[in-house]
Amino acid sequence: MNKFYDKLQSLVAAEQITKDEPLSKHTTFRIGGPCDYFISIKKETELVGVIRLCKEEKIPFFLIG
């Protein structure tokens, strides 16, 4: 059981979270390996919640978009 993933699902819908998503799908030069969790944010409150969770759990994050 992955507690971090469960906490993510409490902040955003499961269909907004992709595990092992290749970042090459989301970059101009089509480069980049897989990220653990790719989250498509739809609302500002989701963004704030996910960033807060990452900081609490000491999970590194990077914003693209």
Side-chain angles (χ1 to χ4, degrees), residues 30-41:
R30 301 293 178 228
I31 58 173
C35 61
D36 294 332
Y37 299 99
F38 184 85
I39 305 162
S40 299
I41 299 293

Side-chain angles (χ1 to χ4, degrees), residues 21-46:
E21 177 75 2
L23 290 177
S24 60
K25 291 182 176 182
H26 307 280
T27 62
T28 304
F29 293 110
R30 301 293 178 228
I31 58 173
C35 61
D36 294 332
Y37 299 99
F38 184 85
I39 305 162
S40 299
I41 299 293
K42 296 187 180 202
K43 297 184 273 186
E44 184 179 339
T45 55
E46 293 174 345

Side-chain angles (χ1 to χ4, degrees), residues 11-26:
L11 298 170
V12 297
E15 59 268 6
Q16 291 173 247
I17 306 168
T18 309
K19 291 183 181 180
D20 300 318
E21 177 75 2
L23 290 177
S24 60
K25 291 182 176 182
H26 307 280

Side-chain angles (χ1 to χ4, degrees), residues 4-14 16-17 39-43 45-54 56:
F4 180 73
Y5 183 74
D6 292 340
K7 290 178 182 181
L8 274 178
Q9 284 187 312
S10 72
L11 298 170
V12 297
Q16 291 173 247
I17 306 168
I39 305 162
S40 299
I41 299 293
K42 296 187 180 202
K43 297 184 273 186
T45 55
E46 293 174 345
L47 178 62
V48 171
V50 169
I51 290 173
R52 184 175 291 132
L53 175 62
C54 288
E56 288 171 1

